[in-house]
Amino acid sequence: FLLIVLVLLMVYLFLQQFRSSILQNSNSLTLILVNMVGMVLLADFILRINPNLIYLTPFPIVPIILRSFYDTRLALFVHIMVIVLVGLVAPNSFEFIFLQLMAGIFSIVTATGLYRRAQLVIASAKVTGVYFVSYFAFTLIRGDVMDAEHLTQYGYFTLNGLLSVVAYPLILLFEKVFGQVSDVTLLELGDTNSPLLRKLRDLAPGTFQHSLQVGNLAESVIAEIGGNTLLVRTGALYH
């Protein structure tokens, strides 16, 4: 109980120090807590059924979802807190935390690809590859590389990677439920082939080109100061 309280306190202090606006927005705070608590409860349920199935739990979904609504730092921090909580009861805690940390970081790095349906399989394959390499490294350390039971674990990692595609519909669901704007929606709005921008291009080509130029300039500027380039570019296209 004390360890769980400590983890939640760390989340609160992080938000208070770096993301105070989220504490003032009940929808944003609820969205984060739903992802945290939901994944912990799912992991706990799987552990009660069979501890060996823990690597079947798609932990990378949490940072992927949060990265689509917030920044990388927040998504990574919450992911770390989730795997630390589950690591308290997961078998081989260090190995579990290391594997999930690597997969979570990589999923955040490749999060942009998960918003394009054509790249869903490729992105999930990359996450699976990180699981494979990390787990294989641990088998080398233990000296049991040839153990047949590892094939089952690799199968779990494969299914885990495939389950990461569930993040896409969950992002759309959370967006509607909690009234947030995700990168998925911004990408769709920023598509110059969308109906409204296509109409602007046909009826007012000069204004359309002006909007594109403003979008490119704004994106370059905001990238230099570390802001949300996707949000700014989309806003510039519709200004």
Side-chain angles (χ1 to χ4, degrees):
F1 174 77
L2 291 176
L3 291 173
I4 292 174
V5 170
L6 184 61
V7 169
L8 293 177
L9 177 62
M10 293 301 104
V11 174
Y12 172 78
L13 292 176
F14 176 87
L15 294 176
Q16 184 184 53
Q17 181 72 21
F18 302 106
R19 304 291 183 271
S20 58
S21 59
I22 292 179
L23 290 177
Q24 301 170 5
N25 188 323
S26 59
N27 285 341
S28 295
L29 187 59
T30 303
L31 173 61
I32 294 173
L33 292 177
V34 164
N35 279 274
M36 283 189 64
V37 176
M39 186 56 68
V40 171
L41 291 178
L42 176 61
D44 180 68
F45 175 74
I46 291 177
L47 285 170
R48 291 176 185 274
I49 296 176
N50 185 351
N52 294 326
L53 297 177
I54 187 60
Y55 289 120
L56 193 59
T57 310
F59 289 97
I61 284 181
V62 172
I64 291 173
I65 292 176
L66 295 182
R67 175 61 185 84
S68 69
F69 291 102
Y70 311 106
D71 59 282
T72 301
R73 180 189 293 185
L74 175 61
L76 179 59
F77 183 83
V78 172
H79 175 64
I80 292 175
M81 294 298 100
V82 169
I83 62 176
V84 166
L85 283 174
V86 179
L88 295 173
V89 292
N92 301 321
S93 296
F94 176 77
E95 179 179 317
F96 166 81
I97 292 177
F98 184 89
L99 290 174
Q100 301 303 338
L101 182 60
M102 294 299 102
I105 293 175
F106 197 78
S107 66
I108 293 176
V109 172
T110 59
T112 302
L114 291 178
Y115 307 141
R116 296 173 172 83
R117 296 178 183 179
Q119 299 182 5
L120 287 176
V121 176
I122 297 176
S124 63
K126 291 179 179 179
V127 173
T128 302
V130 172
Y131 274 123
F132 277 21
V133 173
S134 301
Y135 187 76
F136 179 72
F138 277 103
T139 62
L140 287 174
I141 293 173
R142 294 193 300 265
D144 58 353
V145 178
M146 303 305 294
D147 198 327
E149 70 178 18
H150 295 323
L151 293 177
T152 302
Q153 294 291 356
Y154 289 124
Y156 291 155
F157 293 138
T158 302
L159 292 175
N160 189 317
L162 292 175
L163 287 173
S164 64
V165 301
V166 178
Y168 189 89
L170 285 178
I171 290 171
L172 299 178
L173 175 63
F174 288 143
E175 188 174 34
K176 301 300 182 182
V177 172
F178 296 102
Q180 303 294 309
V181 178
S182 70
D183 287 352
V184 175
T185 296
L186 292 177
L187 281 170
E188 292 177 351
L189 290 173
D191 184 1
T192 54
N193 288 318
S194 62
L196 186 57
L197 290 180
R198 190 168 60 248
K199 183 177 181 180
L200 177 64
R201 181 183 60 199
D202 295 337
L203 298 181
T207 302
F208 176 75
Q209 290 300 323
H210 163 73
S211 295
L212 287 180
Q213 292 174 353
V214 173
N216 292 333
L217 289 171
E219 185 177 15
S220 300
V221 171
I222 205 69
E224 290 294 327
I225 63 175
N228 189 333
T229 56
L230 188 58
L231 176 63
V232 171
R233 183 179 185 277
T234 305
L237 288 176
Y238 288 88
H239 83 278

